Amino acid sequence: MRYLVISDIHGNLEALEAVLADAPAHDAVICLGDLVGYGPSPNDVVDTLREVDRSVVLAGDHDWAAIGRVGHATFNTYASFALDWTAGSLGTDEKEFLGSLPVRAELQELTLVHGSPRDPVWEYLDDAAHVSPCFDAFDTQLCLVGHTHVPLVITQQEEGPALRRPAPGETVLLRGEQRLILNPGSVGQPRDDDPRAAYGLYDATRGTFEFRRVPYDVDSTQRKMQAAGLPWPLAIRLAVGL
Ligand code: ZN
């Protein structure tokens, strides 16, 4: 069984389409949330994911904010502006779909969340202090997370969790019963100084997780953002992966 693992698409249709075209054959799709926010194509992204067969799609903080389930207080000015624009642009069906998404799911040996297993919507797993308590917050061997927009491998060890950034294209071998938290990075707004769309391919049969990157037409996304009147710094950052 092979899973395409995507997260943090953020209304970037060009990046999502590039990932779907680049992905090797897979049996199912896992989306770890934040379908919308920041980007200019929220409806197209939601509709694309609604039509993907055999998918598990979670909600993230931007999805909840875009449908009014949470306020904008924790978002910065640009993010908040984009959320208002997204809320005004989303269709009724698309809002309903976002509102129906779970924030946590289990799939055989996988626990799936957007942020962290102890705080699925909001917590950022980007340092050992936040990660340490999290291995007690899920029971499966693996946990897949998004939210930080940075690919990450977190290994549970006796002396505490080990965090490291995987190289683009790296394949991590899952060993025995070792427990891991893995973040595939962001499809639509990478923040690790690499503008290419990031995603993962989890092969449950072989016990491998591949961290993949694919370039997409950033210019086209930027032009759409400009036409929509979205903040220009949100467009600029796409070109550098910030
Ligand atoms: Zn996000």
Side-chain angles (χ1 to χ4, degrees):
M1 188 82 179
R2 290 170 109 195
Y3 299 90
L4 170 64
V5 184
I6 56 177
S7 189
D8 296 280
I9 301 152
H10 286 293
N12 189 334
L13 182 66
E14 292 71 31
L16 176 61
E17 287 182 335
V19 165
L20 294 175
D22 180 67
H26 51 272
D27 305 294
V29 175
I30 291 169
C31 175
L32 301 168
D34 275 4
L35 285 68
V36 303
Y38 297 123
S41 308
N43 289 308
D44 290 338
V45 166
V46 170
D47 292 345
T48 300
L49 283 170
R50 281 166 73 194
E51 287 161 15
V52 171
D53 274 348
R54 306 196 66 184
S55 63
V56 178
V57 183
L58 304 185
D61 50 326
H62 284 255
D63 302 318
W64 274 17
I67 59 169
R69 191 168 285 176
V70 294
H72 293 191
T74 58
F75 296 95
N76 68 40
T77 308
Y78 296 136
S80 185
F81 185 99
L83 281 168
D84 281 337
W85 180 89
T86 302
S89 304
L90 279 170
T92 307
D93 290 352
E94 286 77 11
K95 279 188 176 167
E96 198 176 315
F97 178 76
L98 290 176
S100 73
L101 301 178
V103 296
R104 179 181 179 125
E106 286 187 8
L107 200 62
Q108 297 176 344
E109 69 281 17
L110 301 172
T111 295
L112 312 173
V113 291
H114 178 64
S116 85
R118 65 175 184 171
D119 184 354
V121 176
W122 295 106
E123 186 174 37
Y124 288 90
L125 288 189
D126 52 8
D127 62 39
H130 284 98
V131 168
S132 289
C134 283
F135 279 101
D136 293 331
F138 68 101
D139 297 321
T140 55
Q141 184 182 2
L142 302 176
C143 179
L144 304 182
V145 305
H147 195 36
T148 65
H149 299 207
V150 176
L152 197 64
V153 178
I154 305 169
T155 311
Q156 186 183 36
Q157 298 180 327
E158 274 181 28
E159 61 274 24
L163 288 72
R164 71 177 181 84
R165 289 197 191 181
E170 179 177 338
T171 297
V172 172
L173 299 176
L174 312 175
R175 297 174 196 282
E177 300 293 300
Q178 183 161 53
R179 299 183 75 213
L180 297 166
I181 299 173
L182 301 168
N183 186 328
S186 168
V187 170
Q189 194 200 73
R191 295 181 190 162
D192 59 344
D193 304 317
D194 183 341
R196 295 177 297 170
Y199 70 99
L201 189 74
Y202 171 54
D203 189 323
T205 311
R206 290 187 180 171
T208 58
F209 191 100
E210 185 181 355
F211 288 87
R212 296 176 63 96
R213 300 304 281 248
V214 61
Y216 69 94
D217 185 359
V218 175
D219 282 353
S220 181
T221 308
Q222 289 178 321
R223 280 198 297 275
K224 281 192 195 173
M225 292 175 79
Q226 193 171 22
L230 286 161
W232 189 236
L234 293 180
I236 290 174
R237 66 189 300 176
L238 294 180
V240 287
L242 185 69

